[in-house]
Amino acid sequence: MIWNFKWIILKKVNQTVPKFNDRVGYKLKTKNKIDILQLNITRTCNLSCKHCHLSCNPNRREDMSLDVAKKCVELLKSYNFSTVDITGGAPEMSGVFKYLVEEASKLNKNVMIRSNLTIYNKEDYKDIPQFLRNHKVDIIASLPFYEREKTDKVRGLGVFEDSIRILKILNELDYGKDYDLNLNLVYNPSGAMIPQSEEELEQVYRVKLKEDYGIIFNDLFAITNSPIGNFGKWLDKSRNLDRYMNRLYNSFNDEVIEEVMCRSTLSVDYDGTIHDCDFNLSLGLGIKGKNKTIFDITVNDLENRPIVTANHCYSCTAGAGSS
Ligand code: SF4
Ligand code: SF4
């Protein structure tokens, strides 16, 4: 059911505006050096957000096996990635989460996790903030807005308060204060909009969170929602898909092409399949070439690799760029 829906939305996304590759003018390839190994280790999440491009929720059970996790660590040892980006779902809910953080830390990689924060309110996960601190893991935390109403609209009732409580705990652990304990926030628009200026938003977040809650953080990333997953479904149902795709297309900025995530990333799904980015992963679009899983990929498959693109890529090139 999820599979059918994914392809129906992608077909519509591809039909609404001219082809991404034609707009770019050439076929995208990865850089000579791949910096980031991104690991999408679970589809389970304690939340079920409207904009989730992976349609994660508490009922999903897909989780990375220890076999796949060990192969990821082997790849980390054989290729000089600088960063390991651990995501999900709520990655903390995966059985291999702590194993991967510990192994990547031993290899002196910069480890970062994408967190929805609220998971740390649950009894089984209350130890995680201290665990992250011990391993100096960078936290990229979703906070769709600096006010309750808009955040709860996107993520569910009570999520804003739950997030604020955890941000305070992270500050108490020196996250956002100590130079090697980075706490970065992520803003997502709540409708069929493209984010306003990242610098302006960051300034407003900084002032509001400090004044209202005494919270500090390092940087804010403004992410344009990809027209796939739950958000694509909502765009289609609310008849906003054409308008949104045209907004993305009309905001195309060729200056950000060099920096889109796929040019320096390899993304591994929980089942060991390999993708150019988290969005392609969500659509089930594997990398080009014959080696398509963590069990058969070699370091020769990483650099100067042609990237699989489609019109969902316009969300990475709109305005100041986002991925
Ligand atoms: S957007 Fe993040 S927090 Fe929300 S359901 Fe998806 S994985 Fe969970
Ligand atoms: S969606 Fe993925 S493949 Fe397309 S431009 Fe963005 S990062 Fe690259």
Side-chain angles (χ1 to χ4, degrees):
M1 186 65 185
I2 288 169
W3 189 90
N4 281 340
F5 150 70
K6 280 195 299 205
W7 291 106
I8 291 166
I9 294 290
L10 185 61
K11 196 173 168 197
K12 290 186 180 182
V13 161
N14 283 338
Q15 285 169 345
T16 47
V17 290
K19 278 186 183 167
F20 181 77
N21 262 345
D22 293 345
R23 184 71 196 253
V24 172
Y26 56 91
K27 291 196 172 163
L28 278 189
K29 278 187 165 189
T30 56
K31 294 182 180 175
N32 290 333
K33 164 87 172 66
I34 306 299
D35 286 325
I36 303 171
L37 182 65
Q38 185 179 62
L39 306 175
N40 197 309
I41 61 179
T42 184
R43 294 286 193 281
T44 310
C45 188
N46 56 315
L47 302 180
S48 39
C49 304
K50 268 189 189 168
H51 63 273
C52 187
H53 64 273
L54 283 155
S55 305
C56 297
N57 65 54
N59 299 320
R60 302 282 301 262
R61 288 289 171 265
E62 302 93 323
D63 196 42
M64 186 177 274
S65 68
L66 189 56
D67 278 354
V68 172
K70 283 183 174 170
K71 288 301 284 185
C72 293
V73 173
E74 272 179 35
L75 185 63
L76 269 181
K77 287 178 181 165
S78 59
Y79 187 82
N80 189 25
F81 294 98
S82 57
T83 299
V84 182
D85 174 3
I86 303 178
T87 183
E92 303 88 343
M93 296 177 84
S94 165
V96 295
F97 173 68
K98 286 186 175 173
Y99 166 78
L100 286 168
V101 169
E102 284 164 354
E103 292 302 313
S105 300
K106 277 186 217 161
L107 295 170
N108 287 323
K109 304 295 177 185
N110 172 33
V111 184
M112 61 189 228
I113 68 148
R114 316 264 177 152
S115 174
N116 70 37
L117 297 171
T118 63
I119 186 72
Y120 306 142
N121 287 298
K122 296 194 177 292
E123 203 51 47
D124 287 350
Y125 302 95
K126 283 189 170 162
D127 64 317
I128 300 284
Q130 184 64 51
F131 170 80
L132 298 176
R133 187 187 197 283
N134 293 347
H135 291 86
K136 303 210 181 316
V137 174
D138 287 350
I139 300 175
I140 316 286
S142 308
L143 190 68
F145 209 58
Y146 50 80
E147 286 170 351
R148 180 180 295 105
E149 198 186 335
K150 280 195 181 168
T151 295
D152 286 2
K153 191 177 152 202
V154 175
R155 316 210 97 180
L157 211 59
V159 165
F160 183 76
E161 287 300 330
D162 284 351
S163 305
I164 292 295
R165 191 176 309 122
I166 297 302
L167 286 171
K168 287 180 179 173
I169 290 173
L170 292 172
N171 277 172
E172 282 165 19
L173 289 171
D174 291 333
Y175 266 100
K177 299 177 183 172
D178 198 300
Y179 81 99
D180 56 2
L181 292 172
N182 283 310
L183 174 60
N184 298 316
L185 301 183
V186 175
Y187 159 86
N188 293 94
S190 59
M193 314 293 291
I194 293 169
Q196 61 195 88
S197 148
E198 196 168 71
E199 289 75 26
E200 283 171 23
L201 268 169
E202 181 176 288
Q203 195 49 31
V204 182
Y205 262 71
R206 212 174 278 296
V207 171
K208 293 293 283 181
L209 291 179
K210 178 80 177 130
E211 279 181 358
D212 294 352
Y213 308 101
I215 288 168
I216 58 171
F217 62 95
N218 294 94
D219 296 314
L220 178 92
F221 304 131
I223 302 282
T224 305
N225 291 320
S226 185
I228 57 178
N230 286 358
F231 186 62
K233 197 176 182 180
W234 173 80
L235 285 171
D236 189 37
K237 220 173 149 189
S238 62
R239 297 175 190 269
N240 275 299
L241 188 61
D242 276 17
R243 194 176 321 151
Y244 188 66
M245 286 309 300
N246 275 290
R247 261 184 202 149
L248 294 180
Y249 178 75
N250 291 327
S251 311
F252 178 82
N253 176 2
D254 57 9
E255 287 179 13
V256 301
I257 285 283
E258 284 296 306
E259 298 314 320
V260 287
M261 167 172 65
C262 52
R263 300 215 55 228
S264 53
T265 299
L266 185 77
S267 196
V268 185
D269 205 357
Y270 72 91
D271 60 359
T273 54
I274 304 280
H275 309 266
D276 295 310
C277 73
D278 203 34
F279 302 118
N280 285 7
L281 177 154
S282 149
L283 289 164
L285 298 172
I287 61 166
K288 285 193 173 148
K290 64 178 173 40
N291 296 332
K292 290 183 182 293
T293 79
I294 193 74
F295 293 98
D296 50 28
I297 196 167
T298 70
V299 290
N300 297 329
D301 298 313
L302 298 180
E303 297 167 0
N304 287 314
R305 172 169 38 92
I307 294 168
V308 176
T309 57
N311 281 1
H312 64 296
C313 295
Y314 281 116
S315 63
C316 297
T317 53
S322 158
S323 56

